[in-house]
C-alpha cells in the first residue's frame, strides 16, 4: 500500500513522541481455530449505497470444546447466524459479533454463516457516483481493507495472522462489471443484473480481500501465460497503456529478483475514483487511484506513477505471498515494496538513478524524524495500526533493506531474499524471520544492524573532517557522531557502532579515477584516524557507495570538494560535495557548481547543484543558475526555477516570470514557476504583485490540464501573498464544490498558508470556510483542511481541528488533526511583530547581497 503523502522518545525534547494519548500495546487475539475459507455472497443496491448477503466462514478448530466465537463486525445489520443448517444465538454490539455455539467444537471443520446487511458504510466499502457538484463522476464501488477495515463490509477475524482461501459472488447492475481476487469462475446474466463469481485459491489475510465495481474498459496484456489486465474508465485506455504498460516487464524483473515466479493466476490493476490511498496491493488485484493515469505530456514528469505500479506489484510477494503476522512488522512488506522502487529505477534507468532515488527515500524519512517524531520501526504501541504507515515504515524500511544489501553484497543479498521468500511462501512472518533467512542463506548475523536501525529510533549524524599533511604524507580523518549525547549514567546514548568504507581518490592525466579503499569502525562520539599514503589524494570519499542511512556534513578543503564534485563516480558523494561547497560560498564555489550544473552526466546531480547555488546569496549565482534553464531534463529545469526564486532580484524574477508566462514542456516545471513567482513578489519586489496576480488569474481561467498541476501551481503562488486580500478572494473561488477535485484540494491547502498575514476579518472568513470544508466526509478533503488549519494562527483553528479529530472515522485524519492542533498552539506563541521583522531582515539580506556581490566582483579582478 502507498499512503498519500502524510514512549520511544529517544532524544527528549528534540523529538516528539510517536505515542499519542490512548496508545497501548497491541497483540493478535487468541485463535479458536484456523480459518480455511471465506465465502461472500452479496447483492449491491448502489442507489441506496447499501448491500446485503451472506458471509460463510469455514473454521478448523485448534482444540475441541470451543463454545464461543467472537468476530470483528462494525456497523453491520446482523440478521442471523447459522452453523450448518442450525441457527445459533448471538450478541452484537456494533463492533463485535459474539456467537454462542450450541454444539461445542470437535476436531472437524465447520461452517459459520452470517446473514447480514450494511447501509451507507463509512469505511471498508465505498460507493462513488455523480452528484450535483460533480455530475461526471463515474459510478463505482470499491473496497479498502488495510489496516482493519474489512470488518466494515463483512464479519471476519480481522487481523493479518489468519490466512484463508476466499471467494466472492456478487450481483451488480448491468452494464457494470465486478473484479475481485483470484480467478473468474463464471458470470450469470439475471436480466437487469449480472452475478460475478471470483475464487482466490491461494490463502491470504482478510485485509487483502477486495471488490471493485464499475463500467470499466478492459485492456489485456500478458506475462508468460499469466493474464495482466488494466481496468480504467472508458475513454482512458491510452492513459492506461502509458501508465501501466511496463507491468509485464516489472513482473519478469521481480520474479527473477525475488527468486520466485509471480505466484497468482492473474494480475489486475483497477484504477478507481476518489481512492483514499495511492494504491492497495489486494491479492492478484491491485487498486490504484485514477490520479496516477498519465497523458503524453505528464510522461516527462513520470516518476511517481511508475514507482506506484512497481511498489504495489512487489507486494504480491512481500505482503501477499509472505504475510506479516502482526502490524508491528509491516515494515517487512512496506520497506521491501518501497525498496522495489529503488531497484527497479536502478534496473530501468541505471545505477546513478537508483542511488539518487534511495537518497530521496532517506531524506523523506529524515524529514519525518526531525520534524514530526522519532520511533523504532518495529513497535506494537499505538492507537490504531494505520498510524504505523509513515515514513519510518516505508522509506526508512527501504533504507534498511539497502543497508543489508550494502553489507552482504549483491550476490548474498539476493540469496537471502530468495531464502526468505521461498521458506515463508503462504505463511506469516515477523522481523526475526528475515534475520534467520539472512543467517541461513549467508552465514551473516545482522542482529547488530537491526538492533540499531529497526528496534530503536534514530540514525547516525556524522560530521566528517579531512585534511592532508604534505610533510608527513598523512591523511587525517576525524568523524564525530553528533547525535550521541551523554546520559545520566555517563554513557553515550544513541551512539552507533558501524563499519564504514572510506576511500582516497586519485585522478590521472586521462581523468581516470582510482581508489585506495579502507574500512573504519565508528563506535565513539569522536574518532580521528591517520592514514599514511604515498601521494596526496585528489579527494576523499566517506561511506563509499553510501549504503548506510545517515546524515553527513563534510568539512574538507575547497580543492578536495571541487575534485570530488567533478570526479567521484558515486552521484550521492558528488551531491554531498556540492552541499559542502555551497556552505563555503564565494565565487570559486559558484564557478565549480556552475560547471557541474552544465556538465555533470547525471540529472540528479545537476538538480541538486541548482539547489545549492540558491544558497550562495550572490548576484553571480543568478547568472550561474540561468544556464540551467535550458537543461534537457524537466526535473533540473524545475529545480533551477525554484532556486532562482530564492534569490530575489529583478533579474531572477524576470527569468521565473518568463517561464510562468510562456509555459514549459513539463507540467511540473511550469507549475514550479507559477508557485515560485508568488514567493518572489514580496518585500523588495512587492510592486510586482499586481502583475503576478493578473497572471495567476489568467492561468486559472485558461490552463486546465492533467491533474490540474499547472493551475494548482498558480494557487500555490497565490498562497504566498500573505498580506494581499485579493489573493484570498481568488483562492476562495476555487475551494467551492464543483471545482475539479485536484484543484479544489490545492486551494483548500492554500488557505492556511495565505492566512498568516491577513487582517482579522480575512482570517475569520478563512476559518469559517475551512470549518465547513472540514465537515465533509471525503478523506482527501479532510486531509487538506487539516493541513490548512495547522498553518493558521488563530484559536478558532484549534476548535475546528478538535471537532474534526472527534468526528472523522479515519485514524490518519484523526492523528493529522491532533498534530495540527499542536502546530497552531505553537504558531500562537509568535507575535505579529515577527512579520515586520521578517520584512526588515529580507531588506537587510538584499543590501548585504548587493554589497557582497560587488566585493566579490572586485576581488575577482586581476
Amino acid at each position: 500500500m502507498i499512503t498519500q503523502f502524510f514512549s520511544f522518545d529517544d532524544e527528549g525534547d528534540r523529538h516528539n513522541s510517536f505515542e499519542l494519548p490512548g496508545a497501548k500495546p497491541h497483540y493478535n487475539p487468541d485463535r479458536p481455530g484456523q480459518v480455511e475459507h471465506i465465502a461472500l455472497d452479496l447483492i449491491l443496491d448502489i442507489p441506496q449505497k447499501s448491500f446485503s448477503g451472506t458471509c460463510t466462514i469455514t473454521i478448523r478448530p485448534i482444540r475441541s470444546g470451543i463454545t464461543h466465537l467472537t468476530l470483528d463486525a462494525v456497523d453491520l445489520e446482523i440478521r442471523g447466524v447459522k452453523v450448518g443448517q442450525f441457527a445459533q444465538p448471538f450478541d452484537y454490539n456494533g463492533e463485535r459479533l459474539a456467537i454462542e455455539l450450541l454444539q461445542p467444537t470437535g476436531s472437524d471443520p465447520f461452517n459459520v454463516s452470517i446473514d447480514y446487511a450494511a447501509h451507507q458504510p463509512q469505511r471498508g466499502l465505498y460507493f462513488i457516483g455523480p452528484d450535483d457538484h460533480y455530475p461526471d463522476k463515474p459510478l463505482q464501488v470499491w473496497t479498502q481493507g488495510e489496516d482493519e477495515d474489512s470488518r466494515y463490509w463483512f464479519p471476519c477475524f480481522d487481523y493479518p495472522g489468519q490466512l484463508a482461501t476466499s471467494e466472492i459472488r456478487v450481483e451488480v447492475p448491468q452494464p457494470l462489471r465486478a473484479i475481485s481476487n483470484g480467478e473468474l469462475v463464471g458470470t450469470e446474466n439475471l436480466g437487469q443484473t449480472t452475478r460475478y463469481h471470483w475464487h482466490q485459491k491461494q490463502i491470504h489475510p482478510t485485509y487483502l480481500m477486495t471488490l471493485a465495481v464499475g463500467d470499466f474498459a478492459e485492456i489485456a496484456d500478458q506475462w508468460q501465460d499469466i493474464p495482466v489486465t488494466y481496468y480504467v474508465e472508458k475513454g482512458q485506455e491510452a492513459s492506461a497503456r502509458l501508465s501501466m504498460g511496463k507491468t509485464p516487464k516489472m513482473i519478469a524483473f521481480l520474479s527473477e529478483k525475488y527468486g520466485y515466479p509471480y505466484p497468482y493466476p492473474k494480475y489486475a490493476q483497477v484504477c478507481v475514483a476518489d481512492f483514499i490511498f495511492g494504491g492497495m496491493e489486494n491479492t492478484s488485484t491491485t487498486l490504484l487511484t485514477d490520479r496516477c493515469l498519465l497523458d503524453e505530456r505528464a510522461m516527462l514528469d513520470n516518476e511517481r506513477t511508475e514507482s506506484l505500479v512497481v511498489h504495489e506489484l512487489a507486494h504480491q510477494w512481500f505482503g501477499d505471498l509472505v504475510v506479516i503476522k502482526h502490524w508491528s512488522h509491516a515494515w517487512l512488506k512496506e520497506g521491501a515494496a518501497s525498496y522495489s522502487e529503488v531497484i527497479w529505477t536502478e534496473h530501468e534507468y541505471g545505477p546513478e538513478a537508483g542511488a539518487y532515488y534511495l537518497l530521496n527515500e532517506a531524506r523523506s524519512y529524515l524529514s519525518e524524524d526531525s520534524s514530526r517524531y522519532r520511533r523504532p520501526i518495529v513497535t506494537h504501541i499505538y492507537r490504531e495500526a494505520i498510524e504505523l504507515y509513515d515514513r519510518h515504515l516505508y522509506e526508512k524500511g527501504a533504507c534498511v533493506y539497502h543497508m543489508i544489501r550494502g553489507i552482504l553484497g549483491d550476490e548474498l543479498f539476493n540469496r537471502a531474499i530468495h531464502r526468505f521468500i521461498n521458506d515463508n511462501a503462504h505463511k506469516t512472518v515477523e522481523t526475526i524471520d528475515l534475520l534467520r533467512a539472512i543467517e541461513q542463506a549467508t552465514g551473516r548475523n545482522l542482529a547488530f544492524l537491526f538492533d540499531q536501525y529497526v528496534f530503536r529510533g534514530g540514525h547516525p549524524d556524522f560530521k566528517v573532517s579531512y585534511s592532508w599533511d604534505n610533510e608527513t604524507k598523512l591523511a587525517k580523518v576525524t568523524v564525530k557522531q553528533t547525535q550521541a549525547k551523554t546520559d545520566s549514567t555517563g554513557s553515550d546514548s544513541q551512539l552507533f557502532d558501524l563499519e564504514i568504507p572510506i576511500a582516497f581518490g586519485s585522478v590521472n592525466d586521462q581523468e581516470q579515477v582510482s581508489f585506495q579503499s579502507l574500512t573504519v569502525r565508528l563506535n565513539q562520539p569522536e574518532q580521528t584516524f591517520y592514514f599514511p599514503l604515498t601521494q596526496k589524494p585528489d579527494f576523499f570519499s566517506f561511506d563509499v557507495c553510501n549504503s548506510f542511512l545517515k546524515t553527513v556534513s563534510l568539512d574538507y578543503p575547497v580543492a578536495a570538494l571541487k575534485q570530488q564534485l567533478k570526479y567521484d563516480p558515486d552521484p550521492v558523494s558528488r551531491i554531498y560535495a556540492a552541499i559542502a561547497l555551497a556552505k563555503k560560498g564565494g565565487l570559486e564555489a559558484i564557478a565549480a557548481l556552475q560547471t557541474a550544473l552544465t556538465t555533470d552526466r547525471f540529472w540528479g546531480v545537476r538538480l541538486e547543484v541548482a539547489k545549492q547555488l540558491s544558497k550562495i546569496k550572490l548576484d553571480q549565482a543568478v547568472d550561474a543558475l540561468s544556464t540551467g534553464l535550458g537543461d534537457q531534463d524537466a526535473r533540473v529545469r524545475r529545480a533551477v526555477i525554484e532556486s532562482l526564486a530564492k534569490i530575489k532580484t529583478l533579474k531572477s524574477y524576470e527569468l521565473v516570470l518568463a517561464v510562468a508566462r510562456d509555459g514549459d514542456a513539463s507540467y511540473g516545471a511550469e507549475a514550479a514557476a507559477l508557485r515560485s513567482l508568488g514567493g518572489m513578489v514580496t518585500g523588495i519586489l512587492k510592486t510586482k504583485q499586481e502583475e503576478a496576480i493578473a497572471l495567476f488569474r489568467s492561468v486559472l481561467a485558461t490552463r486546465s490540464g492533467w491533474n490540474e498541476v499547472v493551475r494548482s501551481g498558480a494557487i500555490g503562488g497565490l498562497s504566498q501573498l500573505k498580506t494581499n486580500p485579493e489573493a484570498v478572494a481568488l483562492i476562495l473561488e476555487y475551494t467551492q464544490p464543483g471545482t475539479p477535485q485536484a484543484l479544489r484540494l490545492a486551494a483548500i491547502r492554500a488557505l492556511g498558508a495565505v492566512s498568516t498575514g491577513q487582517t482579522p476579518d480575512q482570517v475569520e472568513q478563512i476559518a469559517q470556510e475551512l470549518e465547513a470544508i472540514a465537515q465533509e466526509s471525503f478523506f482527501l478533503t479532510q486531509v487538506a483542511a487539516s493541513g490548512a488549519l495547522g498553518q493558521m494562527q488563530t484559536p478558532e483553528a484549534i476548535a475546528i481541528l478538535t471537532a474534526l479529530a472527534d468526528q472523522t472515522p479515519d485514524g490518519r485524519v484523526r492523528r493529522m488533526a491532533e498534530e495540527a492542533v499542536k502546530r497552531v498552539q505553537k504558531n500562537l506563541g509568535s507575535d505579529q511583530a515577527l512579520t515586520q521583522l521578517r520584512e526588515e531582515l529580507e531588506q537587510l539580506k538584499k543590501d548585504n547581497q548587493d554589497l557582497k556581490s560587488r566585493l566579490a566582483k572586485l576581488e575577482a579582478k586581476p
Side-chain angles (χ1 to χ4, degrees):
M1 176 176 67
I2 286 187
T3 61
Q4 303 293 113
F5 296 133
F6 317 128
S7 166
F8 292 92
D9 189 9
D10 295 317
E11 298 236 309
D13 293 337
R14 277 191 58 196
H15 294 90
N16 294 324
S17 174
F18 167 72
E19 299 167 16
L20 295 179
K24 62 181 181 181
H26 285 75
Y27 308 94
N28 281 344
D30 294 338
R31 288 193 307 147
Q34 176 59 49
V35 176
E36 294 189 337
H37 188 67
I38 300 173
L40 302 180
D41 200 331
L42 305 175
I43 299 173
L44 299 184
D45 185 348
I46 295 177
Q48 297 302 314
K49 297 184 178 181
S50 64
F51 62 93
S52 60
T54 303
C55 172
T56 302
I57 304 175
T58 303
I59 303 173
R60 179 180 293 278
I62 287 179
R63 58 181 174 82
S64 60
I66 295 171
T67 59
H68 292 83
L69 297 175
T70 302
L71 277 68
D72 299 300
V74 180
D75 294 338
L76 303 177
E77 178 189 342
I78 306 298
R79 296 170 172 173
V81 177
K82 290 182 178 180
V83 172
Q85 298 300 314
F86 299 99
Q88 307 291 306
F90 66 89
D91 183 59
Y92 179 57
N93 64 4
E95 294 186 356
R96 300 283 187 273
L97 174 61
I99 303 169
E100 182 180 344
L101 301 178
L102 295 178
Q103 181 70 36
T105 62
S107 59
D108 296 330
F110 64 97
N111 291 333
V112 177
S113 297
I114 301 123
D115 182 17
Y116 74 105
H119 305 280
Q120 299 186 6
Q122 286 192 307
R123 293 165 69 173
L125 188 143
Y126 297 79
F127 291 89
I128 309 299
D131 57 28
D132 292 343
H133 298 298
Y134 299 97
D136 297 326
K137 184 175 289 189
L139 188 66
Q140 295 178 351
V141 181
W142 46 261
T143 63
Q144 171 55 39
E146 192 172 20
D147 58 342
E148 295 176 343
D149 284 4
S150 287
R151 64 187 66 186
Y152 286 83
W153 70 285
F154 64 93
C156 55
F157 297 99
D158 197 11
Y159 63 96
Q162 283 275 17
L163 307 183
T165 57
S166 66
E167 63 184 315
I168 295 180
R169 295 178 179 86
V170 59
E171 188 176 327
V172 300
Q174 296 180 2
L176 304 184
R177 68 168 77 205
I179 301 103
S180 187
N181 313 94
E183 300 168 274
L184 182 61
V185 177
T187 61
E188 184 179 358
N189 188 333
L190 302 176
Q192 299 295 315
T193 63
T194 303
R195 179 181 290 130
Y196 287 81
H197 181 191
W198 291 88
H199 192 181
Q200 171 70 35
K201 296 178 182 178
Q202 295 85 12
I203 57 175
H204 63 157
T206 55
Y207 80 86
L208 293 175
M209 290 178 62
T210 193
L211 174 64
V213 176
D215 189 14
F216 298 116
E218 179 183 298
I219 298 93
D221 213 334
Q222 191 166 333
W223 176 70
Q224 296 185 358
D225 59 348
I226 292 176
V228 176
T229 312
Y230 320 126
Y231 294 95
V232 294
E233 279 298 306
K234 291 176 179 177
Q236 295 182 324
E237 292 87 344
S239 292
R241 285 283 185 188
L242 284 172
S243 308
M244 296 174 281
K246 289 186 179 181
T247 302
K249 187 177 180 181
M250 292 174 175
I251 295 175
F253 170 71
L254 292 179
S255 293
E256 180 181 359
K257 203 71 180 175
Y258 295 155
Y260 197 107
Y262 177 77
Y264 302 108
K266 72 148 193 312
Y267 187 57
Q269 292 170 95
V270 190
C271 294
V272 297
D274 288 0
F275 198 50
I276 60 174
F277 290 99
M280 181 62 213
E281 68 276 9
N282 309 296
T283 315
S284 79
T285 305
T286 285
L287 300 193
L288 299 170
T289 171
D290 61 3
R291 297 183 298 278
C292 78
L293 292 170
L294 303 166
D295 64 17
E296 289 283 357
R297 185 181 171 194
M299 288 291 290
L300 292 174
D301 302 305
N302 174 26
E303 286 183 7
R304 297 316 306 169
T305 287
E306 195 164 317
S307 296
L308 172 65
V309 171
V310 76
H311 179 108
E312 303 305 338
L313 174 61
H315 274 310
Q316 301 300 313
W317 288 266
F318 281 89
D320 297 12
L321 176 66
V322 178
V323 185
I324 56 169
K325 190 172 186 178
H326 186 266
W327 299 117
S328 58
H329 301 282
W331 82 275
L332 290 171
K333 69 184 187 75
E334 295 300 347
S338 297
Y339 192 53
S340 78
E341 303 170 34
V342 177
I343 59 175
W344 170 256
T345 300
E346 178 183 311
H347 169 78
E348 188 74 354
Y349 300 103
E352 291 196 316
Y356 185 58
Y357 198 103
L358 182 76
L359 174 64
N360 284 320
E361 293 288 278
R363 286 171 165 174
S364 183
Y365 148 72
L366 291 167
S367 173
E368 180 172 86
D369 176 83
S370 63
S371 65
R372 195 178 181 196
Y373 51 67
R374 168 170 289 180
R375 71 173 182 88
I377 294 180
V378 174
T379 176
H380 66 299
I381 302 176
Y382 48 81
R383 294 185 308 185
E384 296 184 50
I386 199 66
E387 293 180 338
L388 296 173
Y389 284 71
D390 60 6
R391 295 175 179 180
H392 285 68
L393 201 72
Y394 290 82
E395 288 88 343
K396 188 178 184 183
C399 292
V400 171
Y401 276 99
H402 188 71
M403 287 190 287
I404 296 169
R405 178 184 172 189
I407 292 169
L408 297 179
D410 283 0
E411 181 182 351
L412 292 184
F413 175 73
N414 290 337
R415 187 186 299 176
I417 294 300
H418 296 179
R419 182 66 176 264
F420 179 62
I421 291 178
N422 281 273
D423 282 1
N424 296 291
H426 306 295
K427 298 178 184 176
T428 59
V429 293
E430 299 175 306
T431 299
I432 189 64
D433 294 301
L434 177 58
L435 267 174
R436 286 174 179 149
I438 293 168
E439 185 170 8
Q440 290 165 0
T442 71
R444 297 293 300 275
N445 180 3
L446 299 191
F448 76 92
L449 184 75
F450 282 51
D451 281 348
Q452 295 179 91
Y453 279 99
V454 177
F455 296 118
R456 79 175 189 190
H459 54 269
D461 298 315
F462 291 122
K463 182 176 181 181
V464 184
S465 301
Y466 158 71
S467 62
W468 169 258
D469 188 324
N470 202 48
E471 192 172 316
T472 60
K473 303 296 185 189
L474 287 176
K476 177 183 178 183
V477 177
T478 299
V479 183
K480 296 179 181 178
Q481 293 194 42
T482 60
Q483 85 288 345
K485 52 189 274 189
T486 303
D487 62 21
S488 57
T489 66
S491 61
D492 292 305
S493 63
Q494 280 296 302
L495 189 65
F496 279 72
D497 187 345
L498 301 168
E499 294 185 352
I500 301 291
I502 63 172
F504 298 95
S506 298
V507 184
N508 64 19
D509 293 340
Q510 289 75 43
E511 296 193 334
Q512 295 171 322
V513 178
S514 60
F515 280 110
Q516 185 171 346
S517 301
L518 306 120
T519 299
V520 294
R521 182 180 180 185
L522 302 177
N523 60 357
Q524 298 298 323
E526 181 173 346
Q527 292 166 267
T528 298
F529 306 90
Y530 294 90
F531 302 96
L533 304 173
T534 57
Q535 63 181 19
K536 179 182 179 181
D538 289 301
F539 63 91
F540 171 66
S541 186
F542 177 79
D543 188 13
V544 178
C545 297
N546 284 287
S547 295
F548 287 91
L549 174 61
K550 63 189 181 298
T551 67
V552 61
S553 173
L554 306 183
D555 183 13
Y556 303 171
V558 169
L561 291 171
K562 288 169 63 178
Q563 294 291 84
Q564 184 176 0
L565 174 60
K566 187 173 183 180
Y567 292 112
D568 198 311
D570 185 344
V572 177
S573 290
R574 301 204 298 277
I575 289 166
Y576 286 151
I579 294 169
L581 269 173
K583 289 181 180 177
K584 300 281 188 183
L587 294 183
E588 187 177 6
I590 288 178
L593 291 169
Q594 181 176 3
T595 299
L597 178 62
T598 54
T599 64
D600 196 281
R601 63 181 178 268
F602 177 52
W603 65 266
V605 173
R606 302 197 302 274
L607 181 155
E608 294 291 333
V609 164
K611 289 182 179 179
Q612 296 311 311
L613 276 167
S614 72
K615 297 177 181 178
I616 304 177
K617 303 301 183 183
L618 296 173
D619 292 347
Q620 291 85 347
V622 175
D623 296 330
L625 278 165
S626 65
T627 62
L629 283 172
D631 197 284
Q632 63 182 359
D633 195 289
R635 293 161 292 193
V636 178
R637 296 197 302 275
R638 178 176 176 172
V640 168
I641 291 163
E642 292 170 341
S643 295
L644 282 168
K646 294 176 181 177
I647 308 175
K648 298 180 182 179
T649 65
L650 183 59
K651 181 176 181 179
S652 64
Y653 168 76
E654 289 173 345
L655 289 169
V656 174
L657 176 65
V659 180
R661 184 184 58 235
D662 301 335
D664 187 276
S666 156
Y667 287 117
E670 186 173 333
L674 290 161
R675 187 167 47 250
S676 300
L677 202 63
M680 299 185 80
V681 293
T682 59
I684 60 173
L685 292 172
K686 194 170 184 178
T687 57
K688 301 293 185 180
Q689 281 196 12
E690 187 175 338
E691 179 180 44
I693 290 176
L695 177 58
F696 294 147
R697 192 179 295 279
S698 172
V699 168
L700 288 167
T702 61
R703 295 195 203 173
S704 181
W706 176 77
N707 274 357
E708 296 292 353
V709 170
V710 173
R711 292 207 289 176
S712 294
I715 290 291
L718 285 165
S719 74
Q720 297 178 71
L721 303 179
K722 303 178 189 300
T723 61
N724 192 308
E726 190 177 353
V728 176
L730 193 49
I731 292 171
L732 285 170
E733 289 181 28
Y734 292 90
T735 63
Q736 303 310 305
T739 302
Q741 186 185 93
L743 182 58
R744 185 177 185 232
L745 293 172
I748 293 169
R749 290 190 293 268
L751 285 178
V754 79
S755 72
T756 55
Q758 300 293 330
T759 65
D761 287 347
Q762 292 278 24
V763 172
E764 174 69 20
Q765 183 183 8
I766 290 170
Q768 290 176 356
E769 181 73 12
L770 288 173
E771 182 176 22
I773 291 168
Q775 294 172 18
E776 297 179 21
S777 60
F778 182 40
F779 166 74
L780 292 180
T781 305
Q782 292 184 346
V783 169
S786 179
L789 288 160
Q791 297 178 70
M792 297 188 72
Q793 299 176 3
T794 173
E796 289 181 78
I798 295 175
I800 300 168
L801 285 163
T802 302
L804 174 59
D806 289 342
Q807 61 92 19
T808 182
D810 194 288
R812 292 168 296 169
V813 175
R814 183 176 304 109
R815 180 163 192 130
M816 290 174 195
E818 290 171 345
E819 291 179 350
V821 166
K822 294 180 181 179
R823 290 196 297 275
V824 176
Q825 290 170 337
K826 185 177 180 180
N827 293 343
L828 288 172
S830 61
D831 55 44
Q832 294 301 316
L834 194 58
T835 302
Q836 183 179 350
L837 188 61
R838 285 198 188 104
E839 292 181 357
E840 292 172 355
L841 182 60
E842 185 176 342
Q843 184 60 51
L844 282 172
K845 285 181 178 178
K846 171 58 181 166
D847 294 342
N848 192 38
Q849 178 179 319
D850 290 341
L851 183 61
K852 287 169 67 179
S853 300
R854 290 196 297 271
L855 184 59
K857 196 177 297 183
L858 286 170
E859 290 175 344
K861 289 181 178 180

